[in-house]
Each structure stands twice: as structure tokens, then as C-alpha cells.
């Protein structure tokens, strides 16, 4: 059974999209039956061009990425999530819908690279992509099929602390 991970950020244009793409990239390389999705409480409706540039430069597939509202993942018929991760502090502070399946939750904070000056954004997005990629690799390497929720939660917390 596929392990589904939902990554949330307020606007779903940068950090959460980077996380979705990097997790799916690593899961594909590792042959893991897992899939990440991203969404936002107030999606911008677009993916930041520097996020696309950073992912593309790293050889990560970007064609299926789009900005989505988190409510769609709480609706009937949505894939059941095993884990919900917030990657920005404002998303972590917002009320979230009741997720089907009562997934585990974690908060892994990253600064918003889009707040950097235009001349620094490329570097900030690449550094953010690298930081997110490291944690997404750790997450993708977890043996989800052998871990119950009590065993998985501390691992999520440990990854977030690294």
C-alpha cells in the first residue's frame, strides 16, 4: 500500500513544492512505494519560478507540479495521508482540516527563500532545495511498511531536528 505524505506551506509556491518534488524524486530512485503531495492554506495559484529553476537544475521532474489548496486532501476520495508535514511557521499555526486516516504530523521549518532580494533568490532557493532534499531523503528511506504510528512519530521528530 502506498504511503502518502502531504507537505503544507501557506502559499504552496516554494517550500512545500520543493518538498513534494524532492520526496517523489528520492522515492523513485529508491524504489519506495510512497508519494508526496503539497498544498497550501492560501495557495498562490503558481509555483515560484526560482523553485522550478532549482529543481530543474538538480534534474528533478517538475512537469506535474501545481499550486493546490489543502482542503482538497480532506475531501472524500482524497488519498489517505500517513504523514502531514508543515514547512513554514505560518502554515503550522493555521487550523487544518480533519485529515482522513488521522495522519501523523510534524513541523520542519524552513525560511522563505522568496523573501530574499531578487539578486539572492537563486542561491536561497538552491540552498532551501538542498536542505529539504536532505530531509526528504531521510524520510523516503524509512521502512514505512514496518513502522506503526508510535514508532514513526519519533523518527519524524528526529528528522525535523536534524
Amino acid at each position: 500500500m502506498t504511503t502518502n505524505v502531504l507537505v503544507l506551506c501557506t502559499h504552496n509556491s516554494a517550500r512545500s513544492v520543493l518538498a513534494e518534488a524532492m520526496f517523489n524524486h528520492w522515492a523513485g530512485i529508491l524504489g519506495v512505494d510512497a508519494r508526496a503531495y503539497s498544498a497550501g492554506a492560501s495557495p498562490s495559484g503558481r509555483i515560484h519560478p526560482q523553485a522550478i529553476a532549482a529543481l530543474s537544475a538538480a534534474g528533478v521532474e517538475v512537469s506535474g507540479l501545481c499550486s493546490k489548496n489543502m482542503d482538497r486532501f480532506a475531501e472524500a476520495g482524497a488519498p489517505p495521508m500517513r504523514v502531514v508535514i508543515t514547512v513554514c511557521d505560518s502554515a503550522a499555526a493555521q487550523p487544518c482540516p480533519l485529515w482522513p486516516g488521522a495522519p501523523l504530523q510534524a513541523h520542519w521549518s524552513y525560511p522563505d527563500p522568496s523573501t530574499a532580494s531578487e539578486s539572492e533568490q537563486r542561491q536561497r532557493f538552491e540552498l532551501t532545495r538542498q536542505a529539504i532534499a536532505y530531509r526528504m531523503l531521510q524520510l523516503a528511506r524509512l521502512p514505512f511498511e514496518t513502522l506503526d504510528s508510535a514508532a514513526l512519530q519519533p523518527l519524524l521528530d528526529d528528522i525535523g531536528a536534524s
Side-chain angles (χ1 to χ4, degrees):
M1 182 159 144
T2 302
T3 298
N4 294 306
V5 175
L6 179 60
V7 185
L8 301 174
C9 192
T10 301
H11 300 295
N12 190 220
S13 64
R15 293 165 283 182
S16 56
V17 173
L18 291 168
E20 173 187 3
M22 290 310 310
F23 182 86
N24 291 334
H25 177 76
W26 292 127
I29 288 173
L30 298 171
V32 175
D33 186 12
R35 170 108 174 101
Y37 301 88
S38 68
S42 300
S44 68
R46 71 175 186 93
I47 306 299
H48 196 289
Q50 290 292 352
I52 297 295
L55 291 165
S56 296
V60 176
E61 179 60 42
V62 297
S63 64
L65 298 175
C66 64
S67 183
K68 303 168 285 304
N69 190 296
M70 68 182 183
D71 291 340
R72 77 189 285 187
F73 294 98
E75 296 173 355
M81 296 299 154
R82 176 98 191 263
V83 176
V84 175
I85 301 168
T86 51
V87 292
C88 69
D89 296 336
S90 60
Q94 293 173 356
C96 288
L98 179 61
W99 306 111
L104 299 175
Q105 296 185 19
H107 177 59
W108 301 346
S109 184
Y110 299 93
D112 185 354
S114 67
T115 61
S117 68
E118 189 123 350
S119 64
E120 294 180 3
Q121 278 191 7
R122 181 178 174 165
Q123 180 184 27
R124 293 273 179 97
F125 269 87
E126 176 54 19
L127 291 172
T128 302
R129 186 203 62 77
Q130 289 176 19
I132 288 172
Y134 175 71
R135 284 183 175 163
M136 291 299 128
L137 176 58
Q138 291 177 294
L139 183 62
R141 285 184 168 162
L142 293 178
F144 291 108
E145 65 282 351
T146 65
L147 296 170
D148 64 12
S149 293
L152 180 56
Q153 185 66 61
L155 297 174
L156 295 173
D157 295 339
D158 288 347
I159 292 171
S162 64

